[in-house]
Amino acid sequence: MAIQYDASRRLFHLQTDDTSYAIQIAHGGYLAHVYWGARVRGLKLDKLLEYKTRASFSPTTIKDIPELSLDTLPQEYPGYGTSDFRHPAYQVKFADGSTASELVYDSHRIVPGKPKLPGLPATYVERDDEAETLEITMKDPASGLAVVLAYTVFEKWNAIARSARLINNGSTAIEVQRALSMSVDFAHDRYDLLQLSGAWARERYVHRRPLVPGLQAVESRRGSSSHVQNPFVALLERGADEDHGDVYGVSLVYSGSFTAGVEVDQFHTSRLFIGINPFDFGWRLEPGESFQTPEAVLVFSAEGLGGMSRKYHDLYRSRLCRGTFRDKTRPILVNNWEATYFNFDADKIEAIARAGKELGIELFVLDDGWFGKRDSDNSSLGDWFVDRRKLPNGLEDLVQRVRNLDMQFGLWFEPEMVSPDSELYRAHPDWCLHIEGRRRTEARQQLILDLSREDVQDYIVKTISGILSSAPITYVKWDMNRNMTEIGSAKLPPERQRETAHRYMLGLYSVLERITSAFPHVLFESCSGGGGRFDPGMLYYMPQTWTSDNTDAISRLKIQYGTSIVYPVSAMGAHVSAVPNHQVGRVTPLETRGHVALSGNFGYELDLTKFTEEEKEIVKAQIALYKEIRHLVQFGDFYRLLSPFEGNAAAWMFVAKDKREAFAVYVQILQEPYAPLDRFRLKGLDPNLDYELDRDGLVYGGDELMNAGMPVPQFHGDFRSRVYRLRAK
Ligand code: DGJ
């Protein structure tokens, strides 16, 4: 039983294989957070909930119990305005204009499995015995507000999924102004906050800072999870590192604007939270209506960041991602974007595909520029019909030409957008997000379709489905290349305009559900100018994401390392591109470009017809190698060995679940003169097994490789790399 309720202590104890999380119904019915950390057997945890009288600046919440103040009580879902001055998890505006409220316990139930979150992406179970769910109903005594807090305990995956549902049981409408997915209070502040931040072409860099008093948070106000911040933060106990120490991760299954952070209060307690960004958000609830928050996934690891990452990887790979491709190895692809940009015809495409086939590539992807009159990025989004100037015999003919090579065919779309210069926009100028009387700000000469509208959703489903049904297409790249401005909908009344951004996400999720379930044989990869929407929400519909528009192997060291903090390698697209690299101008060896890209969902994105004979041999060998190891890369355990954020090298490895096979990559960034003779240690092997190393054919103990380590390779030149294959004897 993952969830136990001790009625005498009014204590809930949630247990996974290695984690405990405890909640107590405190005096007055307030829901107190008691513990989150390594699994404990006993349930005497209520001793941990201490009260202490503070000065009048932490008010007495219950008259007879002067030592109980909501301002000092660790809470599960704190409100504001009734004596807790800290960062609230929710706030509601009532008909009288007031916004103060508080929640007290009403009832609870424990159910096997995991109820679905209507309209939202979420982790799931395949069988009811994979998880157990606790739902605690809380009520605000002075209003009709009720909140159901849900906790799903994935015992074997060592994760807890939390969400909240706000219900208006009153007789007048209320406005939800803030509804976070979770909040947890820690007893002290001896932690560091870790976040994944960046920009276009340098997504998800790892940043770590010690907590200080006050609010420290990251957020997106862009209408998407964004390149700039990722919907995830972790608290690391001081001194915790990649392999040791307590780490607490919270990850939001959502693709829109979010907030995530921690507030350290006057008593040095730390309140960790994540959820939809309350900034510019509102949601009107008529009597009887409810609002469901997205879900937050909580992971504790006593084995440092690496342990936390592997838990997220396992859960997200198998109980967030869905569909035919969830457990299937992914094809090696060639994409024509950096090879041709908008300038191609059917013969050019067939030539690239043919060259790919000869090298062993399995899938050709036709990127932007095949529809409308799209010769540059200034027109045609929304006009999803083939451009006969470039493809005179139509899409079906091109798909057939590629399939005749015995290759699969994939296609790029940007379905959420409309170009002002398009037939769609001329026909439906009110179909984009906009505010009447204001400029419609363009980014990349495009506007965003208003996906909160059902007619727009239907248009997208119909046009994309039409194309996918017209030819044997087995892969889709779903792109999205700007952020929201003038966030308003022509369909919503004034009092609901602040719902637009979230309604957009719900509309997008509905479109994705309809399209992906209608085409189960299609592998979908999401993209937003690279990794601008690399989040768990998108992974629910599409099991992989284009990690970054930056294809430079050395830039990718940091991007892929940071992404791996939360996301499984099977979710990351990684391609070999031309040199000098189109984003940063760097020249790196083809071997290194290959080694970095084959550490993800492998592909090429350059004109393959231009390879020399020597390059072809290198590429053939890379592709052959990937075919042998891709099950390890995509489904093995991932270990980060050396961080590109900390030194002049990066290294990582993949280990089979049964530990009988492993694959490691070492990349040197810059050549040091007179370099020391250093070593690096492998991880995740079985210390009692002997492994044969392919490089020298010698056999080494797993214990030796993990403790004594291996000599750092001696290179001559920058940006060099080496790979190691290990097989148990
Ligand atoms: C942005 C994507 O990230 C690129 O890979 C490419 O598909 C372009 N859009 C096409 O416009």
Side-chain angles (χ1 to χ4, degrees):
M1 283 254 293
I3 301 171
Q4 292 169 44
Y5 179 59
D6 177 343
S8 63
R9 291 196 176 85
R10 306 187 88 195
L11 188 78
F12 301 96
H13 188 177
L14 286 50
Q15 284 174 309
T16 74
D17 281 356
D18 64 18
T19 305
S20 279
Y21 186 107
I23 305 162
Q24 189 167 34
I25 305 164
H27 292 292
Y30 299 112
L31 206 59
H33 177 75
V34 184
Y35 175 69
W36 179 22
R39 182 181 163 112
V40 292
R41 279 173 293 123
L43 271 170
K44 304 246 162 65
L45 292 164
D46 50 331
K47 296 257 168 23
L48 291 174
L49 194 60
E50 282 186 302
Y51 302 119
K52 185 168 183 189
T53 313
R54 300 286 186 179
S56 61
F57 293 98
S58 287
T60 306
T61 305
I62 302 178
K63 257 216 157 69
D64 307 334
I65 314 175
E67 63 275 18
L68 192 152
S69 172
L70 287 183
D71 197 34
T72 57
L73 189 75
Q75 289 175 76
E76 281 295 315
Y77 204 66
Y80 176 79
T82 60
S83 67
D84 188 346
F85 299 103
R86 295 169 291 172
H87 192 271
Y90 76 94
Q91 192 167 32
V92 166
K93 187 172 167 189
F94 298 101
D96 64 1
S98 68
T99 53
S101 67
E102 60 184 13
L103 296 172
V104 297
Y105 171 86
D106 176 73
S107 59
H108 76 269
R109 64 174 194 138
I110 297 170
V111 294
K114 183 171 194 282
K116 285 205 155 128
L117 299 193
L120 284 166
T123 54
Y124 61 89
V125 292
E126 288 197 327
R127 292 189 325 266
D128 271 356
D129 62 3
E130 290 179 353
E132 210 172 12
T133 300
L134 165 67
E135 288 182 349
I136 306 177
T137 300
M138 313 281 293
K139 285 189 174 161
D140 175 27
S143 76
L145 174 69
V147 177
V148 180
L149 299 179
Y151 301 78
T152 296
V153 183
F154 286 93
E155 243 178 310
K156 295 277 166 286
W157 279 275
N158 288 300
I160 297 174
R162 279 191 63 176
S163 69
R165 191 166 77 247
L166 281 68
I167 307 164
N168 180 7
N169 288 329
S171 54
T172 49
I174 61 175
E175 190 197 326
V176 179
Q177 298 184 321
R178 167 193 294 263
L180 301 186
S181 298
M182 61 75 67
S183 179
V184 162
D185 288 344
F186 292 80
H188 61 85
D189 63 354
R190 294 183 298 278
Y191 298 106
D192 292 342
L193 178 68
L194 185 133
Q195 66 196 59
L196 303 175
S197 309
W200 174 80
R202 54 176 164 82
E203 297 91 337
R204 291 170 298 284
Y205 277 24
V206 180
H207 294 266
R208 180 175 175 167
R209 53 178 153 154
L211 295 187
V212 294
L215 187 63
Q216 36 246 288
V218 296
E219 62 176 351
S220 165
R221 281 173 244 101
R222 295 175 168 267
S224 76
S225 51
S226 88
H227 301 87
V228 186
Q229 303 292 353
N230 197 259
F232 162 83
V233 286
L235 287 185
L236 285 75
E237 74 171 351
R238 291 279 158 81
D241 61 18
E242 180 63 24
D243 303 302
H244 311 97
D246 289 358
V247 178
Y248 304 82
V250 291
S251 158
L252 188 68
V253 187
Y254 191 59
S255 316
S257 296
F258 71 92
T259 180
V262 60
E263 185 179 43
V264 175
D265 80 346
Q266 56 187 327
F267 305 114
H268 295 274
T269 68
S270 306
R271 175 168 286 176
L272 179 68
F273 59 86
I274 197 165
I276 291 182
N277 198 341
F279 176 83
D280 204 33
F281 166 82
W283 197 274
R284 188 177 162 87
L285 284 185
E286 297 294 338
E289 286 183 348
S290 61
F291 178 82
Q292 173 64 56
T293 73
E295 105 178 351
V297 176
L298 284 63
V299 164
F300 166 79
S301 160
E303 284 148 13
L305 262 185
M308 181 206 73
S309 298
R310 283 183 290 281
K311 290 176 182 179
Y312 275 120
H313 295 173
D314 281 344
L315 182 73
Y316 283 178
R317 198 164 38 199
S318 59
R319 292 297 178 269
L320 176 70
C321 294
R322 299 176 300 165
T324 317
F325 291 90
R326 186 189 74 181
D327 304 324
K328 273 200 180 157
T329 53
R330 313 286 165 72
I332 303 169
L333 64 81
V334 55
N335 176 305
N336 72 307
W337 178 241
E338 288 197 20
T340 65
Y341 295 103
F342 298 98
N343 185 17
F344 59 82
D345 59 20
D347 290 343
K348 179 70 200 170
I349 294 303
E350 189 182 349
I352 294 176
R354 186 180 299 281
K357 177 68 195 171
E358 281 161 15
L359 297 167
I361 291 176
E362 298 154 326
L363 162 70
F364 173 83
V365 178
L366 180 59
D367 209 281
D368 198 350
W370 59 268
F371 55 92
K373 295 195 180 72
R374 182 102 164 148
D375 294 329
S376 73
D377 58 16
N378 66 8
S379 82
S380 303
L381 293 171
D383 295 347
W384 299 110
F385 44 81
V386 72
D387 182 351
R388 294 261 170 188
R389 297 169 311 156
K390 290 181 192 167
L391 307 175
N393 298 323
L395 189 62
E396 210 184 330
D397 173 73
L398 179 67
V399 176
Q400 211 40 63
R401 284 167 74 171
V402 170
R403 292 191 62 101
N404 289 344
L405 299 167
D406 195 22
M407 282 180 97
Q408 299 168 50
F409 187 92
L411 195 58
W412 178 97
F413 294 94
E414 194 174 356
E416 298 161 65
M417 298 290 150
V418 62
S419 307
D421 181 8
S422 67
E423 291 183 19
L424 181 68
Y425 190 70
R426 283 183 280 273
H428 298 286
D430 61 333
W431 272 18
C432 63
L433 292 178
H434 68 281
I435 297 171
E436 223 32 73
R438 285 201 179 277
R439 180 188 64 237
R440 299 178 179 194
T441 307
E442 294 177 20
R444 208 193 190 202
Q445 296 85 244
Q446 61 198 57
L447 299 166
I448 304 184
L449 287 172
D450 178 1
L451 268 80
S452 73
R453 296 172 62 133
E454 276 181 29
D455 47 2
V456 172
Q457 296 167 21
D458 291 344
Y459 172 80
I460 295 175
V461 173
K462 192 166 148 238
T463 47
I464 305 300
S465 302
I467 288 174
L468 295 183
S469 309
S470 73
I473 296 165
T474 56
Y475 165 103
V476 163
K477 179 174 173 188
W478 184 291
D479 204 350
M480 195 280 280
N481 281 297
R482 63 160 292 178
N483 294 141
M484 294 180 184
T485 56
E486 295 87 33
I487 306 175
S489 170
K491 277 271 168 147
L492 292 173
E495 67 277 13
R496 289 195 179 273
Q497 285 296 322
R498 279 165 76 105
E499 299 175 11
T500 307
H502 182 58
R503 283 188 183 275
Y504 177 99
M505 294 318 308
L506 297 178
L508 171 63
Y509 290 148
S510 162
V511 165
L512 294 179
E513 183 69 38
R514 287 164 70 187
I515 294 181
T516 55
S517 52
F519 297 93
H521 64 285
V522 173
L523 170 59
F524 286 84
E525 174 157 338
S526 82
C527 172
S528 173
R533 219 165 43 183
F534 203 130
D535 59 61
M538 294 309 287
L539 285 180
Y540 180 71
Y541 302 97
M542 309 191 181
Q544 57 189 64
T545 303
W546 178 225
T547 312
S548 177
D549 273 349
N550 189 340
T551 54
D552 170 62
I554 299 307
S555 302
R556 278 292 184 122
L557 297 177
K558 286 183 177 167
I559 295 168
Q560 292 176 196
Y561 187 100
T563 305
S564 79
I565 296 286
V566 185
Y567 304 101
V569 173
S570 61
M572 286 187 224
H575 301 169
V576 172
S577 62
V579 288
N581 175 267
H582 292 195
Q583 292 77 39
V584 297
R586 195 171 358 245
V587 176
T588 51
L590 183 53
E591 286 86 349
T592 305
R593 281 178 273 153
H595 293 159
V596 174
L598 59 73
S599 299
N601 292 329
F602 191 35
Y604 289 79
E605 191 166 330
L606 72 176
D607 190 344
L608 301 177
T609 63
K610 297 201 172 133
F611 275 146
T612 63
E613 288 307 314
E614 193 194 348
E615 285 171 332
K616 278 188 200 164
E617 291 314 308
I618 295 173
V619 168
K620 273 188 194 163
Q622 287 172 350
I623 290 172
L625 170 64
Y626 191 69
K627 286 180 180 169
E628 286 177 26
I629 55 149
R630 74 173 135 189
H631 60 284
L632 267 185
V633 170
Q634 296 173 3
F635 300 108
D637 286 334
F638 183 67
Y639 290 85
R640 293 178 291 262
L641 306 179
L642 296 173
S643 167
F645 294 98
E646 287 166 15
N648 200 25
W652 57 88
M653 68 187 288
F654 308 89
V655 183
K657 289 279 175 200
D658 66 5
K659 301 206 180 275
R660 300 199 60 82
E661 229 187 324
F663 178 72
V665 183
Y666 182 99
V667 181
Q668 167 178 285
I669 301 174
L670 294 179
Q671 175 73 44
E672 289 287 337
Y674 226 44
L677 298 173
D678 203 354
R679 291 184 186 170
F680 72 108
R681 286 153 69 145
L682 301 189
K683 294 177 189 172
L685 300 172
D686 182 337
N688 298 315
L689 280 179
D690 290 328
Y691 294 88
E692 184 177 321
L693 179 63
D694 66 336
R695 295 200 69 78
D696 55 15
L698 297 179
V699 174
Y700 302 89
D703 51 354
E704 179 185 346
L705 294 167
M706 292 194 291
N707 293 304
M710 306 225 284
V712 158
Q714 298 298 305
F715 295 114
H716 187 70
D718 297 336
F719 319 132
R720 305 292 148 137
S721 63
R722 180 164 294 171
V723 295
Y724 306 81
R725 282 186 76 184
L726 294 154
R727 270 174 282 218
K729 289 297 282 178

